[in-house]
Amino acid sequence: MLTVDEALSKLFALCPAVDAETVPLRRAAGRVLLADAVARLTQPPFAASAMDGYAIREADNVKGTRLAVIGEAAAGRGFAGSVGAGQAVRIFTGAPVPEGAERVVLQEDVTREGDTITLGDRLETGANIRPAGQDFRAGDRLAAPRRLSPADLGLAAAMNVAEVSVARRPAVALIATGDELVMPGEPPGPDRIVASNSFALAAMAEAEGAEVRLLPIARDTEESLRYTLSLAADADMIVTIGGASVGDHDIVGKVAGDLGLERAFWRIAMRPGKPLMAGRLGRSVMLGLPGNPVSSIVCGHLFMLPMIRAMQGLPARAASRQRARLGQPVAANGPREHYMRARLRPGIGLTEIVPFERQDSALLSILTEADALLVRPIGDGPRTAGDEVEYIAI
């Protein structure tokens, strides 16, 4: 059986090349930037006042000095003249600093009578002027690749960038398999259960930037599965749920093989989720997830989401791991890497992590209470409370 890292390496090798498209800035939120956004101007384009006050010469910045107010500068409406000795210009935040002025004294630090101000006893040491180009200059770059955050969009807009080159959203087709499944809202009837995994996986994939198609449930016949797979032929990624094990009714591997699947691997040394299959089917990457609800969702975090990120041009790497201290002892781990559902809580220094007592891969109710997967390496010995461990936030 492959390790999780070995499986990920094979999965990344299957991912198709990233396709780019140009979109308006308003439609770029959450998209992955593929080409640097280049500033078309300097920000601020001029020395600007950081405060409301009066623009004066440095030589006049003396307590008790009286200065003549010769004009006013506001944002979007500068003062056309220059400031000479013994003069001041009333100025507001964001306004261009007039020629000749070298500092802005705060309005609360002066006394004004008519067109004359007197500097008070408390004068700040700072000049209260934002120099031209303090934020960025023409030609500066917002570097790719990156998922565009609200702050990134604000910066790109300030750079006067109206459109950006982003990764096309990968198309992910989700196929739940099994005679026992019905859709939510339908009466299950005897021997049936409600299909739940695909709804969780769809939400996860969409949050990562994919366009998801939830296809009809494939029944446990070759004809039904073959038909449903045909509906996914144009997808970048086909994710099947269930039917990838070795039981008499687990036919995903056989049908996909008959259709030309180039299988990359089948089983992984992990729990939950050992019966996981992957390969290439036509133009699509195929990922066969286990049918147990927790197994499929955990595998979604470990494999599907990193693949979706890589397919958008982000670094091909595993889910990010963080460190915490165990809040209680745990027994030794066996020959498979174990991802234990756990809860995080504040600790002294490092966060504390406490695994749930029940770890059955059918317990969605436990997974909804979990905010982390405690990672137990293969053959990891017993751990005591206070030991440092790794976890993946979910």
Side-chain angles (χ1 to χ4, degrees):
M1 289 187 288
L2 296 178
T3 67
V4 169
D5 287 342
E6 289 169 339
L8 264 176
S9 178
K10 289 180 178 293
L11 287 170
F12 289 141
L14 293 172
C15 291
V18 180
D19 293 331
E21 61 182 6
T22 300
V23 300
L25 207 56
R26 185 65 182 87
R27 290 178 45 221
R31 303 293 293 273
V32 175
L33 184 71
L34 288 185
D36 294 356
V38 182
R40 301 172 63 189
L41 46 72
T42 295
Q43 178 74 7
F46 43 72
S49 176
M51 297 287 182
D52 292 347
Y54 293 85
I56 65 172
R57 287 180 175 269
E58 187 63 40
D60 289 332
N61 187 42
V62 179
K63 297 175 183 178
T65 299
R66 291 171 58 84
L67 303 172
V69 179
I70 60 171
E72 181 177 288
R77 192 180 70 253
F79 177 71
S82 62
V83 177
Q87 295 179 331
V89 167
R90 178 71 166 116
I91 195 167
F92 297 93
T93 303
V97 176
E99 183 181 347
E102 297 159 310
R103 71 164 44 243
V104 173
V105 292
L106 305 188
Q107 59 187 15
E108 52 265 41
D109 291 345
V110 307
T111 301
R112 180 165 180 171
E113 296 179 1
D115 289 335
T116 301
I117 60 169
T118 302
L119 274 58
D121 292 335
R122 186 182 70 84
L123 296 177
E124 294 197 346
T125 56
N128 298 314
I129 292 175
R130 297 178 179 132
Q134 172 183 269
D135 197 358
F136 56 83
R137 295 187 174 275
D140 284 353
R141 294 172 178 269
L142 179 63
R146 66 196 303 136
R147 193 174 297 282
L148 289 166
S149 69
D152 292 334
L153 297 179
L155 177 57
M159 288 175 162
N160 203 23
V161 173
E163 296 179 327
V164 286
S165 176
V166 297
R168 178 179 60 81
R169 293 187 186 277
V172 175
L174 289 173
I175 303 173
T177 70
D179 285 342
E180 74 278 15
L181 299 178
V182 299
M183 291 294 286
E186 298 179 25
D191 307 322
R192 299 291 184 93
I193 60 173
V194 177
S196 58
N197 309 3
S198 49
F199 289 87
L201 292 166
M204 291 164 59
E206 287 171 344
E208 205 57 62
E211 290 184 345
V212 176
R213 304 205 307 267
L214 215 58
L215 296 184
I217 295 171
R219 300 305 173 185
D220 289 329
T221 67
E222 293 188 21
E223 181 183 14
S224 176
L225 181 56
R226 200 181 302 268
Y227 170 72
T228 309
L229 285 172
S230 72
L231 300 178
D234 60 342
D236 298 296
M237 182 189 296
I238 300 171
V239 179
T240 60
I241 307 162
S245 191
V246 293
D248 292 340
H249 298 284
D250 296 320
I251 60 173
V252 171
K254 179 184 185 307
V255 172
D258 292 344
L259 294 174
L261 175 71
E262 302 170 20
R263 184 179 293 185
F265 61 83
W266 174 49
R267 294 188 300 170
I268 300 178
M270 63 174 288
R271 59 177 177 145
K274 180 179 74 170
L276 188 138
M277 181 185 68
R280 177 168 291 282
L281 182 60
R283 66 177 298 276
S284 308
V285 179
M286 186 169 176
L287 183 63
L289 300 182
N292 277 341
V294 173
S295 299
S296 67
I297 294 170
V298 168
C299 288
H301 282 287
L302 296 180
F303 303 110
M304 182 184 74
L305 296 188
M307 291 173 69
I308 290 173
R309 288 190 282 268
M311 291 166 71
Q312 295 174 84
L314 292 173
R317 59 190 179 207
S320 176
R321 295 188 180 188
Q322 302 175 61
R323 299 194 69 80
R325 294 194 187 279
L326 269 176
Q328 65 185 43
V330 292
N333 191 37
R336 291 187 286 158
E337 196 163 50
H338 192 186
Y339 294 84
M340 303 180 73
R341 278 68 72 201
R343 179 180 286 131
L344 300 174
R345 62 191 187 193
I348 299 174
L350 284 176
T351 299
E352 191 172 76
I353 187 167
V354 180
F356 287 92
E357 182 177 348
R358 297 191 298 164
Q359 293 289 326
D360 191 292
S361 60
L363 299 178
L364 273 174
S365 56
I366 295 296
L367 189 61
T368 62
E369 296 296 320
D371 48 17
L373 298 174
L374 169 61
V375 182
R376 303 296 313 283
I378 293 172
D380 191 39
R383 296 288 191 137
T384 60
D387 283 357
E388 274 194 40
V389 292
E390 289 189 324
Y391 72 90
I392 296 169
I394 58 173

